[in-house]
Amino acid sequence: MKILKFGGTSVGSAERMRAVAELIHDDQPKIVVLSAVSGTTNKLVALADSLLQGKREQATAQLGELEKEYRKFVDELLPSAFYQRRAEMVLSTIWDQIRSLTQKEFIPSYEKVILAQGELISTELFHLYLESQSVPSRLLPALDFMRTDEQGDPDLSYILEELEHLLSDRTGVPYFITQGYICRNCNGEIDNLQRGGSDYSATLIGAALEADEIQIWTDIDGIHNNDPRIVDKTFPLRKVSYREAAELAYFGAKILHPTCVIPAEQAQVPIRLKNTFAPEAPGTLISSEGSGRSITAIAAKDGVTAIKIRSGRMMNAYGFLRQVFSVFEQFQTPIDMITTSEVAVSLTIDNNTYLDAIIGALEPFGEVSYETEQTIICIVGDHLHRQTGFTRDIFDALEDIPLRMVSYGGSNNNLSILVASSYKKLALKSLNAQLFGQRLSVGEHV
Ligand code: ASP
Ligand code: MG
């Protein structure tokens, strides 16, 4: 059994959806996980936001826009009057549900219900299209098996149990279609796995079922060695390890949801990244086998704030860092990078919601300062700890750039450097030239 996940742009139009149907139709058993049509989740977020602000008329207008968009989508996807009617029936139930929420006093759980509709729509329409083409498939409702526990973590044993039950009779059905992103929480309420979470749905299903392979289909030829939007000569990587992929996803490579690698690694199921627009391209295979390259790739994460706490009390003391970290715990703000000296500690966060409160709570511990608009440049490699010489190349490349923080040794795969965001482009380009430039040309695979 394989799991194939298609992202929003891969099902972004009737034409794209038809292309996906063609891609999956090879008589091999599979579970197809779909995102919402690209743009839909953002629109649902905006609609829920209007309701949150009490702007009901605005929300109704936003709903009207969505209805119009999907009328066009259905027209293009399903030419036959019979299937158009079926699609209209499915969609009108969804619109009615959203409309009913716009008429009630808004409570936060409604937002989750609204956000879930994007994936419900895309899977229903895809399923109808397959049926219209006489391709046998069955809908596998994610809300019947995808669940998180009290901690908000996926409940793998429940997921497996329910999936096995739902899949127990597979006679005559090669393809199962399910929603990415959406789930229920431990109280059985509709919830989601955070934005971009469809990748996570796919790897959770793949891990639970110990699938042969999890394929994530996007609009790019796999993980590139650098950000192709900024650097000219990038190339897709043929293979990377789970660890390398996780670091790259966390530190800015937009292609993959950061936590989605974990279940696949635990179950040792390979993930293959593929391009819907170029299905014959080999893509990237993520498995326990590393890239075999000294430096695999460079990624950058923007919107980072560096916070420095300077205190004589830190010298030779224990418990100081615990106190500092407890502030971040209190404000539920994850820390990304940390560097310390004997009298100061610097750390970074990427969520400034509670920045002022955090700074206030840190002040009793010492002199606190912070800088926003920083970027983490993350250099990922295979077994960096066994290599020599690579740091010289990195620092040579960054010679003209002031470095705010450097973090190395936290894992064997990553060296991270914090720079002001204004230096990001220069840093990525210089590193690319120094680390990859001489050896490779555009489009070359490794
Ligand atoms: N539709 C959701 C989002 O836009 C989930 C996903 O696409 O992965 O975030
Ligand atoms: Mg995505």
Side-chain angles (χ1 to χ4, degrees):
M1 173 76 95
K2 285 187 181 170
I3 317 299
L4 276 70
K5 179 259 166 177
F6 294 88
T9 43
S10 302
V11 291
S13 65
E15 189 196 342
R16 297 309 316 154
M17 218 178 239
R18 276 197 287 269
V20 171
E22 212 155 289
L23 269 173
I24 64 153
H25 191 23
D26 58 5
D27 291 324
Q28 302 294 316
K30 55 179 70 71
I31 297 180
V32 178
V33 180
L34 299 187
S35 288
V37 169
S38 62
T40 297
T41 310
N42 284 345
K43 288 174 188 152
L44 294 170
V45 168
L47 193 157
D49 200 44
S50 302
L51 291 176
L52 185 68
Q53 294 176 38
K55 298 179 180 162
R56 285 188 192 175
E57 267 171 37
Q58 187 169 307
T60 309
Q62 284 163 320
L63 180 59
E65 280 300 308
L66 264 181
E67 291 189 48
K68 206 157 80 190
E69 251 172 51
Y70 276 97
R71 226 169 282 137
K72 187 156 169 272
F73 196 104
V74 167
D75 265 0
E76 285 168 15
L77 184 69
L78 301 161
S80 104
F82 172 73
Y83 281 100
Q84 284 201 3
R85 247 193 330 272
R86 300 241 336 249
E88 274 159 27
M89 265 153 63
V90 169
L91 288 176
S92 63
T93 313
I94 289 176
W95 307 139
D96 286 349
Q97 189 183 3
I98 301 179
R99 212 179 329 273
S100 75
L101 298 180
T102 65
Q103 280 145 21
K104 295 184 198 166
E105 196 59 45
F106 193 71
I107 55 169
S109 63
Y110 290 175
E111 186 193 12
K112 302 282 174 64
V113 177
I114 292 173
L115 297 194
Q117 305 308 317
E119 272 68 12
L120 291 168
I121 295 173
S122 62
T123 46
E124 287 279 5
L125 294 182
F126 186 63
H127 177 60
L128 269 179
Y129 176 69
L130 290 179
E131 199 186 314
S132 75
Q133 301 301 300
S134 310
V135 177
S137 74
R138 192 189 299 159
L139 275 176
L140 208 56
L143 298 178
D144 287 356
F145 67 84
M146 192 54 79
R147 193 168 83 167
T148 53
D149 60 20
E150 283 82 6
Q151 278 75 46
D153 295 325
D155 188 342
L156 260 192
S157 55
Y158 178 93
I159 295 168
L160 174 60
E161 205 174 304
E162 295 305 312
L163 267 177
E164 276 183 334
H165 174 67
L166 289 166
L167 293 169
S168 56
D169 180 13
R170 304 209 302 232
T171 348
V173 189
Y175 315 131
F176 288 86
I177 318 299
T178 192
Q179 301 82 22
Y181 177 60
I182 65 175
C183 65
R184 288 189 189 273
N185 64 18
C186 62
N187 301 319
E189 297 157 336
I190 294 182
D191 205 339
N192 61 59
L193 300 169
Q194 315 270 334
R195 293 303 305 271
S198 294
D199 297 346
Y200 200 20
S201 304
T203 58
L204 287 167
I205 296 169
L209 296 173
E210 294 182 353
D212 301 322
E213 186 170 286
I214 300 155
Q215 297 183 353
I216 310 259
W217 289 78
T218 63
D219 51 7
I220 180 169
D221 286 348
I223 299 183
H224 277 231
N225 70 312
N226 204 329
D227 190 336
R229 292 163 302 184
I230 293 175
V231 177
D232 290 334
K233 290 185 177 174
T234 68
F235 54 88
L237 300 156
R238 273 269 172 90
K239 55 178 191 178
V240 298
S241 67
Y242 294 113
R243 303 285 160 92
E244 290 171 309
E247 304 266 15
L248 285 167
Y250 189 73
F251 289 107
K254 288 278 179 296
I255 186 162
L256 213 55
H257 185 268
T259 41
C260 86
V261 182
I262 298 165
E265 180 178 14
Q266 278 167 352
Q268 290 290 298
V269 179
I271 305 175
R272 196 181 290 279
L273 303 178
K274 295 279 288 174
N275 186 351
T276 350
F277 295 86
E280 62 300 328
T284 301
L285 182 67
I286 305 170
S287 68
S288 40
E289 208 182 311
S291 66
R293 300 165 48 80
S294 50
I295 303 290
T296 312
I298 307 162
K301 177 170 170 162
D302 292 322
V304 173
T305 295
I307 302 173
K308 181 160 74 190
I309 306 116
R310 203 184 159 76
S311 167
R313 275 163 51 201
M314 202 176 147
M315 188 127 54
N316 277 325
Y318 47 81
F320 182 81
L321 286 178
R322 184 182 50 73
Q323 288 177 310
V324 168
F325 291 157
S326 70
V327 170
F328 292 86
E329 194 178 339
Q330 184 191 340
F331 292 102
Q332 297 184 350
T333 301
I335 297 170
D336 282 334
M337 237 175 122
I338 312 170
T339 54
T340 63
S341 79
E342 195 50 42
V343 290
V345 55
S346 275
L347 36 84
T348 69
I349 57 174
D350 67 358
N351 180 348
N352 285 353
T353 313
Y354 300 110
L355 181 62
D356 291 341
I358 288 172
I359 300 298
L362 288 172
E363 259 152 13
F365 304 131
E367 194 186 304
V368 185
S369 58
Y370 69 90
E371 286 157 277
T372 56
E373 283 171 57
Q374 305 287 302
T375 294
I376 297 175
I377 307 283
C378 173
I379 297 130
V380 168
D382 196 15
H383 297 297
L384 289 178
H385 63 307
R386 294 201 203 121
Q387 299 181 39
T388 55
F390 71 96
T391 46
R392 186 194 50 226
D393 289 340
I394 292 172
F395 290 113
D396 273 358
L398 301 176
E399 202 173 44
D400 298 325
I401 299 175
L403 309 182
R404 170 68 181 78
M405 285 166 71
V406 177
S407 170
Y408 171 67
S411 83
N412 299 333
N413 298 105
N414 152 359
L415 187 151
S416 298
I417 296 174
L418 189 75
V419 299
S421 298
S422 52
Y423 287 107
K424 169 184 157 176
K425 279 189 184 161
L426 179 60
L428 289 181
K429 286 183 177 172
S430 309
L431 283 166
N432 210 60
Q434 185 88 21
L435 300 174
F436 302 106
Q438 300 86 343
R439 282 175 281 151
L440 290 157
S441 55
V442 196
E444 199 171 345
H445 272 85
V446 188

mmCIF file of all heavy atoms in Angstrom, residues 5-39:
data_model
loop_
_atom_site.group_PDB
_atom_site.id
_atom_site.type_symbol
_atom_site.label_atom_id
_atom_site.label_comp_id
_atom_site.label_asym_id
_atom_site.label_seq_id
_atom_site.Cartn_x
_atom_site.Cartn_y
_atom_site.Cartn_z
ATOM 1 N N LYS A 5 0.033 11.970 -1.246
ATOM 2 C CA LYS A 5 -0.590 13.219 -0.805
ATOM 3 C C LYS A 5 -0.408 14.299 -1.872
ATOM 4 O O LYS A 5 0.702 14.490 -2.375
ATOM 5 C CB LYS A 5 0.029 13.667 0.530
ATOM 6 C CG LYS A 5 -0.532 14.961 1.058
ATOM 7 C CD LYS A 5 0.392 16.113 0.786
ATOM 8 C CE LYS A 5 -0.256 17.445 0.999
ATOM 9 N NZ LYS A 5 0.653 18.567 0.810
ATOM 10 N N PHE A 6 -1.488 14.966 -2.212
ATOM 11 C CA PHE A 6 -1.419 16.048 -3.193
ATOM 12 C C PHE A 6 -1.766 17.372 -2.532
ATOM 13 O O PHE A 6 -2.804 17.490 -1.872
ATOM 14 C CB PHE A 6 -2.371 15.766 -4.365
ATOM 15 C CG PHE A 6 -1.948 14.573 -5.172
ATOM 16 C CD1 PHE A 6 -2.382 13.305 -4.824
ATOM 17 C CD2 PHE A 6 -1.082 14.711 -6.240
ATOM 18 C CE1 PHE A 6 -1.977 12.186 -5.537
ATOM 19 C CE2 PHE A 6 -0.661 13.605 -6.967
ATOM 20 C CZ PHE A 6 -1.113 12.332 -6.616
ATOM 21 N N GLY A 7 -0.904 18.340 -2.716
ATOM 22 C CA GLY A 7 -1.074 19.649 -2.081
ATOM 23 C C GLY A 7 -2.063 20.525 -2.838
ATOM 24 O O GLY A 7 -2.591 20.154 -3.896
ATOM 25 N N GLY A 8 -2.310 21.712 -2.270
ATOM 26 C CA GLY A 8 -3.318 22.623 -2.801
ATOM 27 C C GLY A 8 -3.137 22.983 -4.273
ATOM 28 O O GLY A 8 -4.120 23.023 -5.028
ATOM 29 N N THR A 9 -1.902 23.238 -4.709
ATOM 30 C CA THR A 9 -1.737 23.618 -6.123
ATOM 31 C C THR A 9 -1.936 22.400 -7.024
ATOM 32 O O THR A 9 -2.360 22.548 -8.172
ATOM 33 C CB THR A 9 -0.352 24.232 -6.416
ATOM 34 O OG1 THR A 9 0.641 23.469 -5.735
ATOM 35 C CG2 THR A 9 -0.272 25.670 -5.994
ATOM 36 N N SER A 10 -1.652 21.206 -6.492
ATOM 37 C CA SER A 10 -1.834 19.988 -7.300
ATOM 38 C C SER A 10 -3.302 19.697 -7.576
ATOM 39 O O SER A 10 -3.626 18.968 -8.504
ATOM 40 C CB SER A 10 -1.207 18.780 -6.599
ATOM 41 O OG SER A 10 0.154 18.989 -6.371
ATOM 42 N N VAL A 11 -4.195 20.260 -6.732
ATOM 43 C CA VAL A 11 -5.636 20.111 -7.009
ATOM 44 C C VAL A 11 -6.263 21.501 -7.192
ATOM 45 O O VAL A 11 -7.450 21.693 -6.985
ATOM 46 C CB VAL A 11 -6.357 19.338 -5.873
ATOM 47 C CG1 VAL A 11 -5.934 17.894 -5.845
ATOM 48 C CG2 VAL A 11 -6.138 19.982 -4.506
ATOM 49 N N GLY A 12 -5.425 22.463 -7.595
ATOM 50 C CA GLY A 12 -5.814 23.875 -7.602
ATOM 51 C C GLY A 12 -6.790 24.293 -8.677
ATOM 52 O O GLY A 12 -7.322 25.408 -8.646
ATOM 53 N N SER A 13 -7.042 23.441 -9.674
ATOM 54 C CA SER A 13 -8.013 23.760 -10.723
ATOM 55 C C SER A 13 -8.594 22.440 -11.214
ATOM 56 O O SER A 13 -8.075 21.370 -10.909
ATOM 57 C CB SER A 13 -7.315 24.467 -11.889
ATOM 58 O OG SER A 13 -6.392 23.573 -12.489
ATOM 59 N N ALA A 14 -9.667 22.555 -11.992
ATOM 60 C CA ALA A 14 -10.289 21.338 -12.521
ATOM 61 C C ALA A 14 -9.260 20.559 -13.341
ATOM 62 O O ALA A 14 -9.154 19.333 -13.247
ATOM 63 C CB ALA A 14 -11.484 21.719 -13.381
ATOM 64 N N GLU A 15 -8.481 21.282 -14.112
ATOM 65 C CA GLU A 15 -7.476 20.629 -14.958
ATOM 66 C C GLU A 15 -6.449 19.876 -14.104
ATOM 67 O O GLU A 15 -6.078 18.745 -14.389
ATOM 68 C CB GLU A 15 -6.800 21.730 -15.781
ATOM 69 C CG GLU A 15 -5.899 21.219 -16.857
ATOM 70 C CD GLU A 15 -4.982 22.317 -17.370
ATOM 71 O OE1 GLU A 15 -5.281 23.511 -17.140
ATOM 72 O OE2 GLU A 15 -3.950 21.967 -17.963
ATOM 73 N N ARG A 16 -5.995 20.525 -13.015
ATOM 74 C CA ARG A 16 -5.018 19.889 -12.130
ATOM 75 C C ARG A 16 -5.634 18.661 -11.460
ATOM 76 O O ARG A 16 -4.993 17.645 -11.278
ATOM 77 C CB ARG A 16 -4.530 20.855 -11.035
ATOM 78 C CG ARG A 16 -3.787 22.085 -11.467
ATOM 79 C CD ARG A 16 -2.645 21.843 -12.416
ATOM 80 N NE ARG A 16 -1.806 20.709 -12.064
ATOM 81 C CZ ARG A 16 -1.090 19.999 -12.939
ATOM 82 N NH1 ARG A 16 -1.114 20.292 -14.211
ATOM 83 N NH2 ARG A 16 -0.351 18.991 -12.545
ATOM 84 N N MET A 17 -6.868 18.767 -11.055
ATOM 85 C CA MET A 17 -7.511 17.638 -10.394
ATOM 86 C C MET A 17 -7.616 16.444 -11.348
ATOM 87 O O MET A 17 -7.402 15.297 -10.964
ATOM 88 C CB MET A 17 -8.885 18.055 -9.900
ATOM 89 C CG MET A 17 -9.218 17.440 -8.568
ATOM 90 S SD MET A 17 -10.795 17.954 -7.954
ATOM 91 C CE MET A 17 -10.358 18.700 -6.405
ATOM 92 N N ARG A 18 -7.909 16.746 -12.606
ATOM 93 C CA ARG A 18 -7.981 15.668 -13.602
ATOM 94 C C ARG A 18 -6.609 15.018 -13.768
ATOM 95 O O ARG A 18 -6.493 13.811 -13.912
ATOM 96 C CB ARG A 18 -8.482 16.212 -14.943
ATOM 97 C CG ARG A 18 -9.993 16.285 -15.000
ATOM 98 C CD ARG A 18 -10.477 16.426 -16.434
ATOM 99 N NE ARG A 18 -10.202 17.767 -16.932
ATOM 100 C CZ ARG A 18 -11.059 18.779 -16.844
ATOM 101 N NH1 ARG A 18 -12.240 18.583 -16.297
ATOM 102 N NH2 ARG A 18 -10.760 19.958 -17.314
ATOM 103 N N ALA A 19 -5.572 15.862 -13.733
ATOM 104 C CA ALA A 19 -4.209 15.318 -13.876
ATOM 105 C C ALA A 19 -3.880 14.392 -12.706
ATOM 106 O O ALA A 19 -3.238 13.354 -12.874
ATOM 107 C CB ALA A 19 -3.195 16.462 -13.957
ATOM 108 N N VAL A 20 -4.338 14.747 -11.506
ATOM 109 C CA VAL A 20 -4.091 13.899 -10.329
ATOM 110 C C VAL A 20 -4.809 12.559 -10.506
ATOM 111 O O VAL A 20 -4.260 11.493 -10.224
ATOM 112 C CB VAL A 20 -4.546 14.601 -9.023
ATOM 113 C CG1 VAL A 20 -4.506 13.640 -7.841
ATOM 114 C CG2 VAL A 20 -3.674 15.816 -8.730
ATOM 115 N N ALA A 21 -6.031 12.628 -11.022
ATOM 116 C CA ALA A 21 -6.793 11.383 -11.233
ATOM 117 C C ALA A 21 -6.022 10.463 -12.170
ATOM 118 O O ALA A 21 -5.946 9.249 -11.958
ATOM 119 C CB ALA A 21 -8.163 11.710 -11.801
ATOM 120 N N GLU A 22 -5.430 11.037 -13.181
ATOM 121 C CA GLU A 22 -4.664 10.238 -14.121
ATOM 122 C C GLU A 22 -3.419 9.634 -13.461
ATOM 123 O O GLU A 22 -3.084 8.477 -13.678
ATOM 124 C CB GLU A 22 -4.240 11.133 -15.282
ATOM 125 C CG GLU A 22 -4.161 10.400 -16.587
ATOM 126 C CD GLU A 22 -4.345 11.370 -17.726
ATOM 127 O OE1 GLU A 22 -5.498 11.865 -17.910
ATOM 128 O OE2 GLU A 22 -3.348 11.667 -18.385
ATOM 129 N N LEU A 23 -2.792 10.470 -12.624
ATOM 130 C CA LEU A 23 -1.561 10.014 -11.943
ATOM 131 C C LEU A 23 -1.789 8.827 -11.023
ATOM 132 O O LEU A 23 -0.938 7.946 -10.908
ATOM 133 C CB LEU A 23 -1.020 11.166 -11.079
ATOM 134 C CG LEU A 23 -0.033 12.083 -11.737
ATOM 135 C CD1 LEU A 23 0.268 13.257 -10.814
ATOM 136 C CD2 LEU A 23 1.250 11.326 -12.020
ATOM 137 N N ILE A 24 -2.922 8.823 -10.348
ATOM 138 C CA ILE A 24 -3.116 7.761 -9.348
ATOM 139 C C ILE A 24 -3.657 6.468 -9.966
ATOM 140 O O ILE A 24 -3.612 5.419 -9.346
ATOM 141 C CB ILE A 24 -4.091 8.193 -8.223
ATOM 142 C CG1 ILE A 24 -5.495 8.440 -8.774
ATOM 143 C CG2 ILE A 24 -3.585 9.430 -7.487
ATOM 144 C CD1 ILE A 24 -6.565 8.226 -7.724
ATOM 145 N N HIS A 25 -4.143 6.553 -11.199
ATOM 146 C CA HIS A 25 -4.892 5.431 -11.772
ATOM 147 C C HIS A 25 -3.955 4.408 -12.424
ATOM 148 O O HIS A 25 -3.771 4.402 -13.627
ATOM 149 C CB HIS A 25 -5.894 5.994 -12.785
ATOM 150 C CG HIS A 25 -6.889 4.990 -13.255
ATOM 151 N ND1 HIS A 25 -7.211 3.870 -12.543
ATOM 152 C CD2 HIS A 25 -7.653 4.933 -14.381
ATOM 153 C CE1 HIS A 25 -8.102 3.163 -13.206
ATOM 154 N NE2 HIS A 25 -8.378 3.798 -14.320
ATOM 155 N N ASP A 26 -3.368 3.541 -11.595
ATOM 156 C CA ASP A 26 -2.483 2.512 -12.143
ATOM 157 C C ASP A 26 -2.810 1.137 -11.550
ATOM 158 O O ASP A 26 -2.011 0.217 -11.596
ATOM 159 C CB ASP A 26 -1.018 2.873 -11.864
ATOM 160 C CG ASP A 26 -0.757 3.039 -10.363
ATOM 161 O OD1 ASP A 26 -1.676 2.785 -9.562
ATOM 162 O OD2 ASP A 26 0.369 3.418 -9.998
ATOM 163 N N ASP A 27 -3.969 1.038 -10.934
ATOM 164 C CA ASP A 27 -4.444 -0.216 -10.338
ATOM 165 C C ASP A 27 -3.650 -0.685 -9.126
ATOM 166 O O ASP A 27 -3.891 -1.768 -8.620
ATOM 167 C CB ASP A 27 -4.553 -1.334 -11.389
ATOM 168 C CG ASP A 27 -5.680 -1.043 -12.375
ATOM 169 O OD1 ASP A 27 -6.709 -0.492 -11.929
ATOM 170 O OD2 ASP A 27 -5.504 -1.327 -13.572
ATOM 171 N N GLN A 28 -2.700 0.089 -8.666
ATOM 172 C CA GLN A 28 -1.989 -0.247 -7.425
ATOM 173 C C GLN A 28 -2.789 0.309 -6.253
ATOM 174 O O GLN A 28 -3.231 1.458 -6.310
ATOM 175 C CB GLN A 28 -0.591 0.409 -7.405
ATOM 176 C CG GLN A 28 0.313 0.045 -8.557
ATOM 177 C CD GLN A 28 0.704 -1.414 -8.522
ATOM 178 O OE1 GLN A 28 1.039 -1.938 -7.458
ATOM 179 N NE2 GLN A 28 0.606 -2.077 -9.670
ATOM 180 N N PRO A 29 -2.959 -0.483 -5.190
ATOM 181 C CA PRO A 29 -3.747 0.027 -4.069
ATOM 182 C C PRO A 29 -3.080 1.227 -3.413
ATOM 183 O O PRO A 29 -1.856 1.233 -3.222
ATOM 184 C CB PRO A 29 -3.795 -1.159 -3.088
ATOM 185 C CG PRO A 29 -2.696 -2.061 -3.499
ATOM 186 C CD PRO A 29 -2.442 -1.834 -4.954
ATOM 187 N N LYS A 30 -3.883 2.224 -3.099
ATOM 188 C CA LYS A 30 -3.293 3.420 -2.479
ATOM 189 C C LYS A 30 -4.322 4.224 -1.702
ATOM 190 O O LYS A 30 -5.521 4.122 -1.953
ATOM 191 C CB LYS A 30 -2.620 4.309 -3.533
ATOM 192 C CG LYS A 30 -3.507 4.714 -4.690
ATOM 193 C CD LYS A 30 -2.774 5.600 -5.657
ATOM 194 C CE LYS A 30 -1.704 4.901 -6.454
ATOM 195 N NZ LYS A 30 -2.205 3.948 -7.481
ATOM 196 N N ILE A 31 -3.800 5.010 -0.780
ATOM 197 C CA ILE A 31 -4.640 5.998 -0.108
ATOM 198 C C ILE A 31 -4.194 7.357 -0.615
ATOM 199 O O ILE A 31 -3.003 7.684 -0.573
ATOM 200 C CB ILE A 31 -4.491 5.916 1.424
ATOM 201 C CG1 ILE A 31 -4.969 4.543 1.918
ATOM 202 C CG2 ILE A 31 -5.272 7.040 2.108
ATOM 203 C CD1 ILE A 31 -4.877 4.345 3.412
ATOM 204 N N VAL A 32 -5.143 8.123 -1.118
ATOM 205 C CA VAL A 32 -4.830 9.447 -1.653
ATOM 206 C C VAL A 32 -5.285 10.488 -0.625
ATOM 207 O O VAL A 32 -6.453 10.518 -0.236
ATOM 208 C CB VAL A 32 -5.566 9.661 -3.001
ATOM 209 C CG1 VAL A 32 -5.297 11.042 -3.551
ATOM 210 C CG2 VAL A 32 -5.149 8.589 -4.000
ATOM 211 N N VAL A 33 -4.341 11.299 -0.189
ATOM 212 C CA VAL A 33 -4.633 12.331 0.804
ATOM 213 C C VAL A 33 -4.641 13.676 0.076
ATOM 214 O O VAL A 33 -3.673 14.006 -0.609
ATOM 215 C CB VAL A 33 -3.537 12.361 1.900
ATOM 216 C CG1 VAL A 33 -3.841 13.428 2.946
ATOM 217 C CG2 VAL A 33 -3.375 10.996 2.549
ATOM 218 N N LEU A 34 -5.724 14.423 0.203
ATOM 219 C CA LEU A 34 -5.783 15.709 -0.506
ATOM 220 C C LEU A 34 -5.817 16.891 0.450
ATOM 221 O O LEU A 34 -6.454 16.842 1.504
ATOM 222 C CB LEU A 34 -7.037 15.776 -1.390
ATOM 223 C CG LEU A 34 -7.199 14.761 -2.510
ATOM 224 C CD1 LEU A 34 -8.419 15.129 -3.356
ATOM 225 C CD2 LEU A 34 -5.958 14.680 -3.404
ATOM 226 N N SER A 35 -5.139 17.968 0.035
ATOM 227 C CA SER A 35 -5.282 19.277 0.692
ATOM 228 C C SER A 35 -6.534 19.942 0.127
ATOM 229 O O SER A 35 -7.106 19.476 -0.851
ATOM 230 C CB SER A 35 -4.109 20.186 0.325
ATOM 231 O OG SER A 35 -2.948 19.796 0.942
ATOM 232 N N ALA A 36 -6.862 21.072 0.700
ATOM 233 C CA ALA A 36 -7.905 21.909 0.099
ATOM 234 C C ALA A 36 -7.350 22.518 -1.186
ATOM 235 O O ALA A 36 -6.131 22.650 -1.337
ATOM 236 C CB ALA A 36 -8.283 23.010 1.079
ATOM 237 N N VAL A 37 -8.235 22.881 -2.098
ATOM 238 C CA VAL A 37 -7.834 23.607 -3.308
ATOM 239 C C VAL A 37 -7.050 24.854 -2.868
ATOM 240 O O VAL A 37 -7.457 25.531 -1.907
ATOM 241 C CB VAL A 37 -9.108 24.012 -4.100
ATOM 242 C CG1 VAL A 37 -8.781 24.987 -5.215
ATOM 243 C CG2 VAL A 37 -9.810 22.774 -4.626
ATOM 244 N N SER A 38 -5.948 25.150 -3.564
ATOM 245 C CA SER A 38 -5.084 26.235 -3.077
ATOM 246 C C SER A 38 -5.873 27.543 -2.944
ATOM 247 O O SER A 38 -6.676 27.899 -3.804
ATOM 248 C CB SER A 38 -3.871 26.429 -3.985
ATOM 249 O OG SER A 38 -4.289 26.796 -5.247
ATOM 250 N N GLY A 39 -5.638 28.217 -1.854
ATOM 251 C CA GLY A 39 -6.333 29.482 -1.590
ATOM 252 C C GLY A 39 -7.570 29.307 -0.717
ATOM 253 O O GLY A 39 -7.978 30.240 -0.017
#
